[in-house]
Amino acid sequence: QLGALVQAAAASDNAAVLPLIASLDVKASGNYIRSLSRTTIAEYQERHEWTDEQIADYLVGSFGMDGFGRLQLNYGERAFHLRLHVDGEWGIADEAGKELRALPPARKTEDADWVKTVEAQFASIKYVVKTELKRQQQRLYVAMCLQRQWDGQTWLAVVAQQPVMRLLAQRL
């Protein structure tokens, strides 16, 4: 079933699905899905006659963030607003806008197991975003050294509206 979903997503010809398909190459447990992920991306690249650099622009994940690096996590009763700052650190605020140093512990009225799951999810997101920032910083450095250029529409799609790349562009 997952294979059929991958093929249907790729058939939509929407580049926004590429990071999700690429993530299956890492996260999927079966070789079939991993192979399908790679093949689907290669076919998309060939169909659009994109270089490796061009396809890489579209493979950067957003990790649940909006285009401004914001993410919301819910404990059930409470929601927390997270924001990825230019320095790569995370800001956390409660629903009232009060800045927090970390996600708070569960209240007695909240599901402690769910809160642990949300905390683990956030820890995972922090780790993968930090890793992706390093990888994309190196890729952007090489692109700059080679004086790579993007047209305006592509720049908006793959840098200005993409949370990881937007953050790196703000550092320039």
Side-chain angles (χ1 to χ4, degrees):
Q1 289 179 344
L2 185 56
L5 288 172
V6 168
Q7 291 171 332
S12 75
D13 214 34
N14 182 348
V17 301
L18 293 175
L20 176 62
I21 294 171
S23 73
L24 294 174
D25 187 24
V26 177
K27 295 177 184 174
S29 59
N31 288 335
Y32 170 72
I33 297 300
R34 287 182 175 164
S35 176
L36 181 62
S37 169
R38 280 182 242 134
T39 302
T40 302
I41 289 172
E43 288 171 357
Y44 193 97
Q45 179 179 2
E46 185 176 321
R47 188 168 57 246
H48 290 273
E49 299 177 354
W50 284 351
T51 65
D52 289 344
E53 293 81 16
Q54 288 172 309
I55 194 77
D57 288 341
Y58 288 92
L59 296 180
V60 182
S62 63
F63 310 102
M65 294 181 284
D66 68 10
F68 296 98
R70 297 177 300 211
L71 177 69
Q72 183 172 313
L73 297 177
N74 294 299
Y75 276 14
E77 292 179 7
R78 301 178 287 169
F80 301 95
H81 306 280
L82 292 78
R83 179 146 193 209
L84 184 60
H85 295 291
V86 174
D87 62 1
E89 296 298 319
W90 288 89
I92 304 172
D94 64 13
E95 291 174 301
K98 179 182 175 190
E99 292 291 324
L100 306 172
R101 290 186 179 187
L103 289 173
R107 291 178 178 163
K108 291 180 182 181
T109 58
E110 293 173 328
D111 182 348
D113 290 336
W114 176 252
V115 171
K116 286 181 186 177
T117 300
V118 171
E119 289 171 340
Q121 178 188 15
F122 180 49
S124 175
I125 290 170
K126 284 185 355 183
Y127 175 78
V128 295
V129 167
K130 183 176 182 179
T131 302
E132 188 71 0
L133 280 168
K134 287 179 184 176
R135 204 177 96 208
Q136 295 305 323
Q137 182 176 2
Q138 184 176 28
R139 198 173 69 82
L140 189 57
Y141 175 78
V142 170
M144 289 172 51
C145 288
L146 296 173
Q147 297 181 356
R148 181 158 175 233
Q149 296 179 2
W150 293 263
D151 62 58
Q153 183 179 1
T154 302
W155 176 263
L156 284 173
V158 301
V159 177
Q161 297 172 348
Q162 206 293 330
V164 171
M165 297 305 291
R166 178 186 183 98
L167 182 131
L168 292 173
Q170 287 174 329
R171 291 180 181 178
L172 297 176

